[in-house]
PDB file of all heavy atoms in Angstrom:
ATOM      1  N   SER A   1      48.126 -24.937  11.600  1.00 97.00           N
ATOM      2  CA  SER A   1      48.908 -24.404  12.718  1.00 97.00           C
ATOM      3  C   SER A   1      48.204 -23.187  13.323  1.00 97.00           C
ATOM      4  O   SER A   1      47.877 -22.235  12.604  1.00 97.00           O
ATOM      5  CB  SER A   1      50.305 -24.008  12.235  1.00 97.00           C
ATOM      6  OG  SER A   1      50.934 -23.112  13.122  1.00 97.00           O
ATOM      7  N   THR A   2      47.998 -23.208  14.622  1.00 95.00           N
ATOM      8  CA  THR A   2      47.390 -22.062  15.298  1.00 95.00           C
ATOM      9  C   THR A   2      48.226 -20.811  15.091  1.00 95.00           C
ATOM     10  O   THR A   2      47.692 -19.723  14.819  1.00 95.00           O
ATOM     11  CB  THR A   2      47.245 -22.344  16.802  1.00 95.00           C
ATOM     12  OG1 THR A   2      46.403 -23.481  16.990  1.00 95.00           O
ATOM     13  CG2 THR A   2      46.649 -21.142  17.531  1.00 95.00           C
ATOM     14  N   GLU A   3      49.529 -20.944  15.195  1.00 94.00           N
ATOM     15  CA  GLU A   3      50.415 -19.791  15.036  1.00 94.00           C
ATOM     16  C   GLU A   3      50.306 -19.210  13.638  1.00 94.00           C
ATOM     17  O   GLU A   3      50.211 -17.985  13.461  1.00 94.00           O
ATOM     18  CB  GLU A   3      51.854 -20.210  15.329  1.00 94.00           C
ATOM     19  CG  GLU A   3      52.858 -19.068  15.213  1.00 94.00           C
ATOM     20  CD  GLU A   3      54.276 -19.504  15.527  1.00 94.00           C
ATOM     21  OE1 GLU A   3      54.459 -20.646  16.009  1.00 94.00           O
ATOM     22  OE2 GLU A   3      55.201 -18.711  15.278  1.00 94.00           O
ATOM     23  N   ASP A   4      50.293 -20.053  12.618  1.00 96.00           N
ATOM     24  CA  ASP A   4      50.215 -19.562  11.244  1.00 96.00           C
ATOM     25  C   ASP A   4      48.845 -18.961  10.950  1.00 96.00           C
ATOM     26  O   ASP A   4      48.739 -17.958  10.224  1.00 96.00           O
ATOM     27  CB  ASP A   4      50.520 -20.687  10.263  1.00 96.00           C
ATOM     28  CG  ASP A   4      52.020 -20.955  10.127  1.00 96.00           C
ATOM     29  OD1 ASP A   4      52.797 -20.317  10.870  1.00 96.00           O
ATOM     30  OD2 ASP A   4      52.413 -21.793   9.297  1.00 96.00           O
ATOM     31  N   ARG A   5      47.782 -19.558  11.481  1.00 95.00           N
ATOM     32  CA  ARG A   5      46.452 -18.984  11.282  1.00 95.00           C
ATOM     33  C   ARG A   5      46.353 -17.608  11.910  1.00 95.00           C
ATOM     34  O   ARG A   5      45.770 -16.681  11.326  1.00 95.00           O
ATOM     35  CB  ARG A   5      45.371 -19.904  11.876  1.00 95.00           C
ATOM     36  CG  ARG A   5      45.109 -21.164  11.100  1.00 95.00           C
ATOM     37  CD  ARG A   5      43.809 -21.812  11.544  1.00 95.00           C
ATOM     38  NE  ARG A   5      43.757 -22.088  12.970  1.00 95.00           N
ATOM     39  CZ  ARG A   5      44.109 -23.234  13.534  1.00 95.00           C
ATOM     40  NH1 ARG A   5      44.563 -24.234  12.777  1.00 95.00           N
ATOM     41  NH2 ARG A   5      44.015 -23.408  14.841  1.00 95.00           N
ATOM     42  N   THR A   6      46.928 -17.460  13.094  1.00 93.00           N
ATOM     43  CA  THR A   6      46.901 -16.161  13.771  1.00 93.00           C
ATOM     44  C   THR A   6      47.710 -15.136  12.988  1.00 93.00           C
ATOM     45  O   THR A   6      47.269 -13.985  12.804  1.00 93.00           O
ATOM     46  CB  THR A   6      47.449 -16.300  15.200  1.00 93.00           C
ATOM     47  OG1 THR A   6      46.649 -17.233  15.926  1.00 93.00           O
ATOM     48  CG2 THR A   6      47.434 -14.955  15.910  1.00 93.00           C
ATOM     49  N   ARG A   7      48.868 -15.539  12.512  1.00 94.00           N
ATOM     50  CA  ARG A   7      49.715 -14.638  11.722  1.00 94.00           C
ATOM     51  C   ARG A   7      48.996 -14.190  10.459  1.00 94.00           C
ATOM     52  O   ARG A   7      48.978 -12.997  10.123  1.00 94.00           O
ATOM     53  CB  ARG A   7      51.023 -15.353  11.373  1.00 94.00           C
ATOM     54  CG  ARG A   7      51.965 -14.536  10.502  1.00 94.00           C
ATOM     55  CD  ARG A   7      53.210 -15.365  10.190  1.00 94.00           C
ATOM     56  NE  ARG A   7      54.086 -14.682   9.242  1.00 94.00           N
ATOM     57  CZ  ARG A   7      55.198 -15.220   8.747  1.00 94.00           C
ATOM     58  NH1 ARG A   7      55.574 -16.440   9.133  1.00 94.00           N
ATOM     59  NH2 ARG A   7      55.933 -14.552   7.886  1.00 94.00           N
ATOM     60  N   PHE A   8      48.382 -15.136   9.769  1.00 96.00           N
ATOM     61  CA  PHE A   8      47.670 -14.792   8.541  1.00 96.00           C
ATOM     62  C   PHE A   8      46.452 -13.919   8.840  1.00 96.00           C
ATOM     63  O   PHE A   8      46.165 -12.971   8.093  1.00 96.00           O
ATOM     64  CB  PHE A   8      47.229 -16.060   7.807  1.00 96.00           C
ATOM     65  CG  PHE A   8      46.419 -15.764   6.578  1.00 96.00           C
ATOM     66  CD1 PHE A   8      47.035 -15.335   5.418  1.00 96.00           C
ATOM     67  CD2 PHE A   8      45.038 -15.894   6.590  1.00 96.00           C
ATOM     68  CE1 PHE A   8      46.297 -15.040   4.284  1.00 96.00           C
ATOM     69  CE2 PHE A   8      44.282 -15.599   5.464  1.00 96.00           C
ATOM     70  CZ  PHE A   8      44.910 -15.172   4.303  1.00 96.00           C
ATOM     71  N   GLY A   9      45.744 -14.217   9.915  1.00 95.00           N
ATOM     72  CA  GLY A   9      44.589 -13.402  10.279  1.00 95.00           C
ATOM     73  C   GLY A   9      44.978 -11.962  10.538  1.00 95.00           C
ATOM     74  O   GLY A   9      44.258 -11.029  10.152  1.00 95.00           O
ATOM     75  N   ALA A  10      46.125 -11.758  11.201  1.00 93.00           N
ATOM     76  CA  ALA A  10      46.604 -10.396  11.456  1.00 93.00           C
ATOM     77  C   ALA A  10      46.926  -9.691  10.144  1.00 93.00           C
ATOM     78  O   ALA A  10      46.640  -8.501   9.976  1.00 93.00           O
ATOM     79  CB  ALA A  10      47.829 -10.436  12.362  1.00 93.00           C
ATOM     80  N   GLU A  11      47.519 -10.420   9.198  1.00 95.00           N
ATOM     81  CA  GLU A  11      47.832  -9.822   7.898  1.00 95.00           C
ATOM     82  C   GLU A  11      46.550  -9.475   7.138  1.00 95.00           C
ATOM     83  O   GLU A  11      46.450  -8.412   6.513  1.00 95.00           O
ATOM     84  CB  GLU A  11      48.690 -10.792   7.081  1.00 95.00           C
ATOM     85  CG  GLU A  11      50.084 -11.000   7.661  1.00 95.00           C
ATOM     86  CD  GLU A  11      50.860 -12.086   6.924  1.00 95.00           C
ATOM     87  OE1 GLU A  11      50.280 -12.702   6.005  1.00 95.00           O
ATOM     88  OE2 GLU A  11      52.031 -12.315   7.276  1.00 95.00           O
ATOM     89  N   ALA A  12      45.561 -10.367   7.201  1.00 96.00           N
ATOM     90  CA  ALA A  12      44.290 -10.112   6.513  1.00 96.00           C
ATOM     91  C   ALA A  12      43.590  -8.894   7.099  1.00 96.00           C
ATOM     92  O   ALA A  12      43.001  -8.079   6.367  1.00 96.00           O
ATOM     93  CB  ALA A  12      43.388 -11.344   6.610  1.00 96.00           C
ATOM     94  N   LEU A  13      43.655  -8.754   8.409  1.00 96.00           N
ATOM     95  CA  LEU A  13      43.017  -7.604   9.048  1.00 96.00           C
ATOM     96  C   LEU A  13      43.747  -6.311   8.692  1.00 96.00           C
ATOM     97  O   LEU A  13      43.111  -5.274   8.449  1.00 96.00           O
ATOM     98  CB  LEU A  13      42.986  -7.803  10.568  1.00 96.00           C
ATOM     99  CG  LEU A  13      42.192  -6.776  11.366  1.00 96.00           C
ATOM    100  CD1 LEU A  13      40.730  -6.742  10.935  1.00 96.00           C
ATOM    101  CD2 LEU A  13      42.289  -7.065  12.867  1.00 96.00           C
ATOM    102  N   GLU A  14      45.071  -6.359   8.635  1.00 96.00           N
ATOM    103  CA  GLU A  14      45.831  -5.172   8.247  1.00 96.00           C
ATOM    104  C   GLU A  14      45.497  -4.772   6.807  1.00 96.00           C
ATOM    105  O   GLU A  14      45.355  -3.578   6.494  1.00 96.00           O
ATOM    106  CB  GLU A  14      47.332  -5.449   8.392  1.00 96.00           C
ATOM    107  CG  GLU A  14      48.235  -4.279   8.030  1.00 96.00           C
ATOM    108  CD  GLU A  14      48.156  -3.128   9.014  1.00 96.00           C
ATOM    109  OE1 GLU A  14      47.622  -3.325  10.128  1.00 96.00           O
ATOM    110  OE2 GLU A  14      48.631  -2.023   8.668  1.00 96.00           O
ATOM    111  N   ILE A  15      45.361  -5.756   5.923  1.00 97.00           N
ATOM    112  CA  ILE A  15      44.982  -5.465   4.539  1.00 97.00           C
ATOM    113  C   ILE A  15      43.603  -4.834   4.492  1.00 97.00           C
ATOM    114  O   ILE A  15      43.354  -3.902   3.714  1.00 97.00           O
ATOM    115  CB  ILE A  15      45.046  -6.752   3.690  1.00 97.00           C
ATOM    116  CG1 ILE A  15      46.502  -7.193   3.524  1.00 97.00           C
ATOM    117  CG2 ILE A  15      44.383  -6.545   2.330  1.00 97.00           C
ATOM    118  CD1 ILE A  15      46.660  -8.572   2.904  1.00 97.00           C
ATOM    119  N   PHE A  16      42.678  -5.315   5.325  1.00 98.00           N
ATOM    120  CA  PHE A  16      41.336  -4.730   5.417  1.00 98.00           C
ATOM    121  C   PHE A  16      41.422  -3.244   5.759  1.00 98.00           C
ATOM    122  O   PHE A  16      40.823  -2.402   5.078  1.00 98.00           O
ATOM    123  CB  PHE A  16      40.533  -5.489   6.472  1.00 98.00           C
ATOM    124  CG  PHE A  16      39.362  -4.748   7.038  1.00 98.00           C
ATOM    125  CD1 PHE A  16      38.146  -4.709   6.370  1.00 98.00           C
ATOM    126  CD2 PHE A  16      39.464  -4.083   8.260  1.00 98.00           C
ATOM    127  CE1 PHE A  16      37.059  -4.022   6.899  1.00 98.00           C
ATOM    128  CE2 PHE A  16      38.387  -3.405   8.795  1.00 98.00           C
ATOM    129  CZ  PHE A  16      37.182  -3.371   8.116  1.00 98.00           C
ATOM    130  N   TYR A  17      42.166  -2.910   6.794  1.00 97.00           N
ATOM    131  CA  TYR A  17      42.290  -1.507   7.191  1.00 97.00           C
ATOM    132  C   TYR A  17      42.934  -0.676   6.080  1.00 97.00           C
ATOM    133  O   TYR A  17      42.474   0.441   5.777  1.00 97.00           O
ATOM    134  CB  TYR A  17      43.119  -1.386   8.469  1.00 97.00           C
ATOM    135  CG  TYR A  17      42.355  -1.651   9.734  1.00 97.00           C
ATOM    136  CD1 TYR A  17      42.509  -2.839  10.436  1.00 97.00           C
ATOM    137  CD2 TYR A  17      41.474  -0.704  10.246  1.00 97.00           C
ATOM    138  CE1 TYR A  17      41.804  -3.081  11.608  1.00 97.00           C
ATOM    139  CE2 TYR A  17      40.765  -0.937  11.419  1.00 97.00           C
ATOM    140  CZ  TYR A  17      40.937  -2.130  12.095  1.00 97.00           C
ATOM    141  OH  TYR A  17      40.238  -2.366  13.253  1.00 97.00           O
ATOM    142  N   ARG A  18      43.983  -1.194   5.486  1.00 98.00           N
ATOM    143  CA  ARG A  18      44.695  -0.433   4.469  1.00 98.00           C
ATOM    144  C   ARG A  18      43.829  -0.205   3.234  1.00 98.00           C
ATOM    145  O   ARG A  18      43.767   0.922   2.712  1.00 98.00           O
ATOM    146  CB  ARG A  18      45.986  -1.160   4.084  1.00 98.00           C
ATOM    147  CG  ARG A  18      46.853  -0.344   3.119  1.00 98.00           C
ATOM    148  CD  ARG A  18      48.194  -0.995   2.878  1.00 98.00           C
ATOM    149  NE  ARG A  18      48.099  -2.258   2.152  1.00 98.00           N
ATOM    150  CZ  ARG A  18      48.416  -3.441   2.660  1.00 98.00           C
ATOM    151  NH1 ARG A  18      48.853  -3.542   3.907  1.00 98.00           N
ATOM    152  NH2 ARG A  18      48.303  -4.540   1.934  1.00 98.00           N
ATOM    153  N   ARG A  19      43.149  -1.226   2.791  1.00 98.00           N
ATOM    154  CA  ARG A  19      42.354  -1.078   1.570  1.00 98.00           C
ATOM    155  C   ARG A  19      41.157  -0.153   1.784  1.00 98.00           C
ATOM    156  O   ARG A  19      40.835   0.665   0.913  1.00 98.00           O
ATOM    157  CB  ARG A  19      41.890  -2.452   1.079  1.00 98.00           C
ATOM    158  CG  ARG A  19      43.023  -3.273   0.454  1.00 98.00           C
ATOM    159  CD  ARG A  19      42.491  -4.371  -0.427  1.00 98.00           C
ATOM    160  NE  ARG A  19      41.600  -3.864  -1.460  1.00 98.00           N
ATOM    161  CZ  ARG A  19      40.807  -4.648  -2.195  1.00 98.00           C
ATOM    162  NH1 ARG A  19      40.813  -5.963  -2.009  1.00 98.00           N
ATOM    163  NH2 ARG A  19      40.012  -4.122  -3.116  1.00 98.00           N
ATOM    164  N   LEU A  20      40.486  -0.270   2.926  1.00 98.00           N
ATOM    165  CA  LEU A  20      39.353   0.618   3.177  1.00 98.00           C
ATOM    166  C   LEU A  20      39.821   2.059   3.313  1.00 98.00           C
ATOM    167  O   LEU A  20      39.181   2.987   2.809  1.00 98.00           O
ATOM    168  CB  LEU A  20      38.585   0.172   4.421  1.00 98.00           C
ATOM    169  CG  LEU A  20      37.382  -0.748   4.151  1.00 98.00           C
ATOM    170  CD1 LEU A  20      37.839  -2.089   3.566  1.00 98.00           C
ATOM    171  CD2 LEU A  20      36.574  -0.990   5.417  1.00 98.00           C
ATOM    172  N   THR A  21      40.938   2.248   4.002  1.00 98.00           N
ATOM    173  CA  THR A  21      41.475   3.608   4.149  1.00 98.00           C
ATOM    174  C   THR A  21      41.861   4.179   2.788  1.00 98.00           C
ATOM    175  O   THR A  21      41.545   5.337   2.474  1.00 98.00           O
ATOM    176  CB  THR A  21      42.690   3.595   5.086  1.00 98.00           C
ATOM    177  OG1 THR A  21      42.284   3.122   6.380  1.00 98.00           O
ATOM    178  CG2 THR A  21      43.267   4.992   5.243  1.00 98.00           C
ATOM    179  N   ASP A  22      42.520   3.378   1.959  1.00 98.00           N
ATOM    180  CA  ASP A  22      42.914   3.851   0.632  1.00 98.00           C
ATOM    181  C   ASP A  22      41.680   4.182  -0.208  1.00 98.00           C
ATOM    182  O   ASP A  22      41.683   5.159  -0.977  1.00 98.00           O
ATOM    183  CB  ASP A  22      43.751   2.794  -0.074  1.00 98.00           C
ATOM    184  CG  ASP A  22      45.139   2.635   0.530  1.00 98.00           C
ATOM    185  OD1 ASP A  22      45.545   3.506   1.325  1.00 98.00           O
ATOM    186  OD2 ASP A  22      45.808   1.626   0.218  1.00 98.00           O
ATOM    187  N   THR A  23      40.633   3.394  -0.064  1.00 98.00           N
ATOM    188  CA  THR A  23      39.403   3.644  -0.815  1.00 98.00           C
ATOM    189  C   THR A  23      38.799   4.986  -0.430  1.00 98.00           C
ATOM    190  O   THR A  23      38.391   5.776  -1.295  1.00 98.00           O
ATOM    191  CB  THR A  23      38.390   2.518  -0.567  1.00 98.00           C
ATOM    192  OG1 THR A  23      38.935   1.270  -1.011  1.00 98.00           O
ATOM    193  CG2 THR A  23      37.082   2.779  -1.303  1.00 98.00           C
ATOM    194  N   VAL A  24      38.739   5.254   0.858  1.00 98.00           N
ATOM    195  CA  VAL A  24      38.172   6.523   1.320  1.00 98.00           C
ATOM    196  C   VAL A  24      39.066   7.687   0.922  1.00 98.00           C
ATOM    197  O   VAL A  24      38.597   8.710   0.396  1.00 98.00           O
ATOM    198  CB  VAL A  24      37.951   6.493   2.847  1.00 98.00           C
ATOM    199  CG1 VAL A  24      37.519   7.869   3.356  1.00 98.00           C
ATOM    200  CG2 VAL A  24      36.909   5.443   3.213  1.00 98.00           C
ATOM    201  N   ARG A  25      40.364   7.559   1.150  1.00 98.00           N
ATOM    202  CA  ARG A  25      41.271   8.668   0.879  1.00 98.00           C
ATOM    203  C   ARG A  25      41.348   9.000  -0.624  1.00 98.00           C
ATOM    204  O   ARG A  25      41.577  10.149  -1.003  1.00 98.00           O
ATOM    205  CB  ARG A  25      42.670   8.346   1.407  1.00 98.00           C
ATOM    206  CG  ARG A  25      42.717   8.168   2.925  1.00 98.00           C
ATOM    207  CD  ARG A  25      42.518   9.472   3.644  1.00 98.00           C
ATOM    208  NE  ARG A  25      42.439   9.273   5.095  1.00 98.00           N
ATOM    209  CZ  ARG A  25      41.332   9.375   5.809  1.00 98.00           C
ATOM    210  NH1 ARG A  25      40.190   9.676   5.204  1.00 98.00           N
ATOM    211  NH2 ARG A  25      41.334   9.183   7.108  1.00 98.00           N
ATOM    212  N   ALA A  26      41.173   7.985  -1.480  1.00 98.00           N
ATOM    213  CA  ALA A  26      41.231   8.231  -2.918  1.00 98.00           C
ATOM    214  C   ALA A  26      40.093   9.136  -3.368  1.00 98.00           C
ATOM    215  O   ALA A  26      40.267   9.987  -4.250  1.00 98.00           O
ATOM    216  CB  ALA A  26      41.181   6.905  -3.676  1.00 98.00           C
ATOM    217  N   ARG A  27      38.931   8.973  -2.781  1.00 96.00           N
ATOM    218  CA  ARG A  27      37.771   9.785  -3.157  1.00 96.00           C
ATOM    219  C   ARG A  27      37.671  11.068  -2.334  1.00 96.00           C
ATOM    220  O   ARG A  27      37.242  12.107  -2.842  1.00 96.00           O
ATOM    221  CB  ARG A  27      36.489   8.974  -2.945  1.00 96.00           C
ATOM    222  CG  ARG A  27      36.229   7.903  -3.958  1.00 96.00           C
ATOM    223  CD  ARG A  27      35.434   8.439  -5.118  1.00 96.00           C
ATOM    224  NE  ARG A  27      35.067   7.373  -6.056  1.00 96.00           N
ATOM    225  CZ  ARG A  27      34.535   7.588  -7.232  1.00 96.00           C
ATOM    226  NH1 ARG A  27      34.316   8.830  -7.633  1.00 96.00           N
ATOM    227  NH2 ARG A  27      34.240   6.585  -8.025  1.00 96.00           N
ATOM    228  N   ALA A  28      38.009  10.958  -1.059  1.00 96.00           N
ATOM    229  CA  ALA A  28      37.772  12.091  -0.150  1.00 96.00           C
ATOM    230  C   ALA A  28      38.914  12.174   0.854  1.00 96.00           C
ATOM    231  O   ALA A  28      38.790  11.685   1.982  1.00 96.00           O
ATOM    232  CB  ALA A  28      36.433  11.915   0.561  1.00 96.00           C
ATOM    233  N   PRO A  29      40.044  12.776   0.468  1.00 95.00           N
ATOM    234  CA  PRO A  29      41.237  12.771   1.334  1.00 95.00           C
ATOM    235  C   PRO A  29      41.011  13.329   2.729  1.00 95.00           C
ATOM    236  O   PRO A  29      41.634  12.868   3.683  1.00 95.00           O
ATOM    237  CB  PRO A  29      42.236  13.630   0.544  1.00 95.00           C
ATOM    238  CG  PRO A  29      41.776  13.547  -0.864  1.00 95.00           C
ATOM    239  CD  PRO A  29      40.289  13.440  -0.817  1.00 95.00           C
ATOM    240  N   GLY A  30      40.135  14.312   2.887  1.00 93.00           N
ATOM    241  CA  GLY A  30      39.976  14.932   4.195  1.00 93.00           C
ATOM    242  C   GLY A  30      38.801  14.427   4.993  1.00 93.00           C
ATOM    243  O   GLY A  30      38.519  14.940   6.080  1.00 93.00           O
ATOM    244  N   LYS A  31      38.111  13.420   4.505  1.00 96.00           N
ATOM    245  CA  LYS A  31      36.890  12.961   5.174  1.00 96.00           C
ATOM    246  C   LYS A  31      37.221  12.158   6.425  1.00 96.00           C
ATOM    247  O   LYS A  31      38.169  11.373   6.446  1.00 96.00           O
ATOM    248  CB  LYS A  31      36.049  12.121   4.207  1.00 96.00           C
ATOM    249  CG  LYS A  31      34.582  11.980   4.636  1.00 96.00           C
ATOM    250  CD  LYS A  31      33.766  11.290   3.557  1.00 96.00           C
ATOM    251  CE  LYS A  31      33.579  12.142   2.320  1.00 96.00           C
ATOM    252  NZ  LYS A  31      32.699  13.303   2.565  1.00 96.00           N
ATOM    253  N   SER A  32      36.437  12.358   7.475  1.00 98.00           N
ATOM    254  CA  SER A  32      36.672  11.622   8.713  1.00 98.00           C
ATOM    255  C   SER A  32      36.394  10.142   8.497  1.00 98.00           C
ATOM    256  O   SER A  32      35.524   9.755   7.708  1.00 98.00           O
ATOM    257  CB  SER A  32      35.789  12.170   9.839  1.00 98.00           C
ATOM    258  OG  SER A  32      34.422  11.902   9.599  1.00 98.00           O
ATOM    259  N   LEU A  33      37.150   9.291   9.211  1.00 98.00           N
ATOM    260  CA  LEU A  33      37.058   7.848   9.052  1.00 98.00           C
ATOM    261  C   LEU A  33      37.275   7.187  10.399  1.00 98.00           C
ATOM    262  O   LEU A  33      38.264   7.450  11.083  1.00 98.00           O
ATOM    263  CB  LEU A  33      38.106   7.357   8.040  1.00 98.00           C
ATOM    264  CG  LEU A  33      38.225   5.844   7.838  1.00 98.00           C
ATOM    265  CD1 LEU A  33      36.927   5.255   7.316  1.00 98.00           C
ATOM    266  CD2 LEU A  33      39.386   5.528   6.895  1.00 98.00           C
ATOM    267  N   PHE A  34      36.337   6.315  10.765  1.00 98.00           N
ATOM    268  CA  PHE A  34      36.459   5.599  12.032  1.00 98.00           C
ATOM    269  C   PHE A  34      36.105   4.136  11.826  1.00 98.00           C
ATOM    270  O   PHE A  34      35.151   3.801  11.119  1.00 98.00           O
ATOM    271  CB  PHE A  34      35.539   6.206  13.099  1.00 98.00           C
ATOM    272  CG  PHE A  34      35.507   5.410  14.382  1.00 98.00           C
ATOM    273  CD1 PHE A  34      36.626   5.351  15.190  1.00 98.00           C
ATOM    274  CD2 PHE A  34      34.384   4.693  14.756  1.00 98.00           C
ATOM    275  CE1 PHE A  34      36.619   4.593  16.360  1.00 98.00           C
ATOM    276  CE2 PHE A  34      34.360   3.945  15.918  1.00 98.00           C
ATOM    277  CZ  PHE A  34      35.485   3.891  16.728  1.00 98.00           C
ATOM    278  N   PHE A  35      36.892   3.254  12.453  1.00 98.00           N
ATOM    279  CA  PHE A  35      36.663   1.812  12.431  1.00 98.00           C
ATOM    280  C   PHE A  35      36.249   1.370  13.836  1.00 98.00           C
ATOM    281  O   PHE A  35      37.001   1.588  14.795  1.00 98.00           O
ATOM    282  CB  PHE A  35      37.932   1.064  12.020  1.00 98.00           C
ATOM    283  CG  PHE A  35      38.418   1.361  10.632  1.00 98.00           C
ATOM    284  CD1 PHE A  35      39.319   2.393  10.398  1.00 98.00           C
ATOM    285  CD2 PHE A  35      37.982   0.610   9.554  1.00 98.00           C
ATOM    286  CE1 PHE A  35      39.781   2.660   9.117  1.00 98.00           C
ATOM    287  CE2 PHE A  35      38.436   0.873   8.267  1.00 98.00           C
ATOM    288  CZ  PHE A  35      39.339   1.901   8.045  1.00 98.00           C
ATOM    289  N   ASN A  36      35.109   0.724  13.966  1.00 97.00           N
ATOM    290  CA  ASN A  36      34.599   0.369  15.288  1.00 97.00           C
ATOM    291  C   ASN A  36      34.736  -1.131  15.564  1.00 97.00           C
ATOM    292  O   ASN A  36      34.362  -1.961  14.728  1.00 97.00           O
ATOM    293  CB  ASN A  36      33.123   0.760  15.420  1.00 97.00           C
ATOM    294  CG  ASN A  36      32.610   0.548  16.838  1.00 97.00           C
ATOM    295  OD1 ASN A  36      33.255   0.957  17.801  1.00 97.00           O
ATOM    296  ND2 ASN A  36      31.463  -0.100  16.972  1.00 97.00           N
ATOM    297  N   SER A  37      35.269  -1.432  16.756  1.00 93.00           N
ATOM    298  CA  SER A  37      35.360  -2.826  17.214  1.00 93.00           C
ATOM    299  C   SER A  37      34.783  -3.005  18.606  1.00 93.00           C
ATOM    300  O   SER A  37      34.978  -4.052  19.217  1.00 93.00           O
ATOM    301  CB  SER A  37      36.820  -3.299  17.202  1.00 93.00           C
ATOM    302  OG  SER A  37      37.374  -3.214  15.910  1.00 93.00           O
ATOM    303  N   GLY A  38      34.131  -1.980  19.136  1.00 90.00           N
ATOM    304  CA  GLY A  38      33.496  -2.098  20.450  1.00 90.00           C
ATOM    305  C   GLY A  38      34.387  -1.763  21.620  1.00 90.00           C
ATOM    306  O   GLY A  38      33.913  -1.632  22.749  1.00 90.00           O
ATOM    307  N   HIS A  39      35.694  -1.619  21.370  1.00 91.00           N
ATOM    308  CA  HIS A  39      36.644  -1.281  22.436  1.00 91.00           C
ATOM    309  C   HIS A  39      37.931  -0.830  21.776  1.00 91.00           C
ATOM    310  O   HIS A  39      38.361  -1.420  20.776  1.00 91.00           O
ATOM    311  CB  HIS A  39      36.899  -2.503  23.329  1.00 91.00           C
ATOM    312  CG  HIS A  39      38.014  -2.310  24.330  1.00 91.00           C
ATOM    313  ND1 HIS A  39      37.879  -1.514  25.449  1.00 91.00           N
ATOM    314  CD2 HIS A  39      39.273  -2.812  24.387  1.00 91.00           C
ATOM    315  CE1 HIS A  39      39.005  -1.543  26.141  1.00 91.00           C
ATOM    316  NE2 HIS A  39      39.862  -2.314  25.524  1.00 91.00           N
ATOM    317  N   ILE A  40      38.541   0.223  22.289  1.00 92.00           N
ATOM    318  CA  ILE A  40      39.831   0.694  21.781  1.00 92.00           C
ATOM    319  C   ILE A  40      40.929  -0.034  22.548  1.00 92.00           C
ATOM    320  O   ILE A  40      41.093   0.149  23.756  1.00 92.00           O
ATOM    321  CB  ILE A  40      39.971   2.218  21.944  1.00 92.00           C
ATOM    322  CG1 ILE A  40      38.827   2.933  21.222  1.00 92.00           C
ATOM    323  CG2 ILE A  40      41.325   2.676  21.428  1.00 92.00           C
ATOM    324  CD1 ILE A  40      38.754   2.667  19.743  1.00 92.00           C
TER     325      ILE A  40
END
């Protein structure tokens, strides 16, 4: 299903952001962090 694939992809991307952020914050809470996608 296109709808289900899109829904799951959004969840996977959110998990990506959360896990990377948690990884950085666990070691360096105040360190700057930026995620690049070529356009905001």
Side-chain angles (χ1 to χ4, degrees):
S1 161
T2 299
E3 181 179 350
D4 281 5
R5 287 195 304 267
T6 300
R7 178 182 174 184
F8 176 77
E11 292 173 357
L13 188 59
E14 181 69 15
I15 291 170
F16 159 82
Y17 279 105
R18 186 173 67 246
R19 287 200 55 193
L20 266 65
T21 299
D22 289 347
T23 299
V24 173
R25 297 289 175 252
R27 286 270 185 190
K31 199 173 291 291
S32 68
L33 175 61
F34 173 68
F35 297 90
N36 187 48
S37 301
H39 172 73
I40 302 300

